[in-house]
Amino acid sequence: MGVFSELFFDDLVFLGYSFQDQKDFFKKISEILLKKGYVKSSFCKAIIKREEKYPTGLRTEPFHVAIPHTDASNIVRPFIAVVRPNHAIQFNEMGMANGKIEAQFLFVLGLNKGEGQAELLSKLVNLFSNREVMNQLMKEKDEKQIIQLMKANID
């Protein structure tokens, strides 16, 4: 197992949660991450602000995803949270002026160092285009199995 597989935790897999919209998602996930000791109280405001400036929605097949993240100064312990909400959440598309996507998966990145971020993003994008793995992630109901799939396919 490599360095990125150490960023996944059973308590950071969220299946079947409902969110009204993107802001509601950020508010609720930030509260959970704060209570669990992964982020600082500044996280919610920072991730919303960064998402407005630098959208993280990705138009990938078979499912659209978003990889919201913010500066290391808002992170206590490094993590990747895996969220599969009940209903897709609208995100602005990365690198597109007016593009919007309906994200069916959200991978909240909490990195406390800048190095390795580009490599991690590249590995995640490869994972997102792996139809077989993404279909497994969509069907899987067990959080531990989702973590195993992520770890096996990220490093």
Side-chain angles (χ1 to χ4, degrees):
M1 293 284 171
V3 67
F4 298 128
S5 63
E6 296 171 10
L7 297 172
F8 295 100
F9 302 95
D10 291 350
D11 67 331
L12 294 184
V13 176
F14 305 96
L15 307 176
Y17 281 61
S18 291
F19 306 100
Q20 293 172 10
D21 55 24
Q22 188 188 96
K23 287 240 177 9
D24 185 48
F25 165 71
F26 284 137
K27 182 177 180 282
K28 287 177 179 171
I29 203 71
S30 295
E31 286 172 7
I32 293 168
L33 292 168
L34 181 64
K35 281 181 189 162
K36 291 179 179 280
Y38 288 96
V39 301
K40 297 178 182 175
S41 59
S42 58
F43 181 81
C44 185
K45 193 173 185 179
I47 202 165
I48 290 170
K49 190 174 179 180
R50 190 185 187 292
E51 188 67 35
E52 287 170 355
K53 209 172 196 178
Y54 304 104
T56 62
L58 294 171
R59 188 176 299 278
T60 53
E61 292 296 329
F63 307 107
H64 298 174
V65 300
I67 48 172
H69 53 283
T70 189
D71 300 323
S73 60
N74 302 291
I75 307 304
V76 175
R77 282 173 43 200
F79 67 90
I80 298 175
V82 180
V83 184
R84 191 180 71 204
N86 276 338
H87 305 285
I89 300 173
Q90 189 174 81
F91 272 75
N92 290 331
E93 191 174 356
M94 188 183 293
M96 305 296 281
N98 296 313
K100 300 209 180 295
I101 60 119
E102 296 293 322
Q104 291 174 273
F105 277 102
L106 304 127
F107 296 84
V108 182
L109 310 182
L111 305 177
N112 62 359
K113 294 184 192 126
E115 71 264 10
Q117 184 171 325
E119 183 186 357
L120 174 61
L121 291 174
S122 172
K123 287 179 180 280
L124 284 171
V125 170
N126 285 338
L127 170 74
F128 301 154
S129 356
N130 183 329
R131 189 173 292 274
E132 185 182 330
V133 174
M134 291 304 289
N135 281 327
Q136 284 180 285
L137 287 171
M138 182 56 88
K139 292 178 199 161
E140 186 56 61
K141 292 175 177 30
D142 181 58
E143 290 87 352
K144 289 185 187 336
Q145 283 300 115
I146 287 177
I147 293 297
Q148 288 309 112
L149 275 167
M150 292 301 298
K151 286 181 175 184
N153 289 282
I154 199 74
D155 281 320

